[in-house]
Amino acid sequence: FSPDGQEVLTVSQNGTAKLWGAASGECLRVLEGHQKWVRSATFSPDGQEVLTVSQNGTAKLWGAASGECLRVLEGHQKWVRSATFSPDGQE
């Protein structure tokens, strides 16, 4: 869930993550761009960004409202299984 409880975040083997309206169940945004299975996703503490990680060894930072990929983090040789924001959301 997003920090405000209004959105739900899911991941898939098809390389996408989706943001859903918690009350409506409507798909609000699709985060596309990973080439393999998205293993995990999390909201930043302020709910402004989403961090996804993938079996292709990358992590991606997204704008939660826009669905735009803001940054790609590369360098792992194998799967990235999880990632998280610092509690203050700065790192």
Side-chain angles (χ1 to χ4, degrees), residues 52-74:
T52 59
V53 297
S54 175
Q55 196 171 337
N56 71 352
T58 64
K60 293 189 178 204
L61 186 66
W62 308 84
S66 68
E68 177 184 352
C69 182
L70 305 174
R71 189 171 304 131
V72 178
L73 307 172
E74 300 178 280

Side-chain angles (χ1 to χ4, degrees), residues 22-42:
S24 68
E26 176 185 352
C27 181
L28 305 173
R29 281 171 295 294
V30 179
L31 309 178
E32 298 180 278
H34 285 291
Q35 301 305 310
K36 294 189 176 184
W37 185 358
V38 179
R39 304 289 298 185
S40 178
T42 188

Side-chain angles (χ1 to χ4, degrees), residues 45 85-91:
F85 287 91
S86 63
D88 65 5
Q90 298 301 306
E91 296 183 53

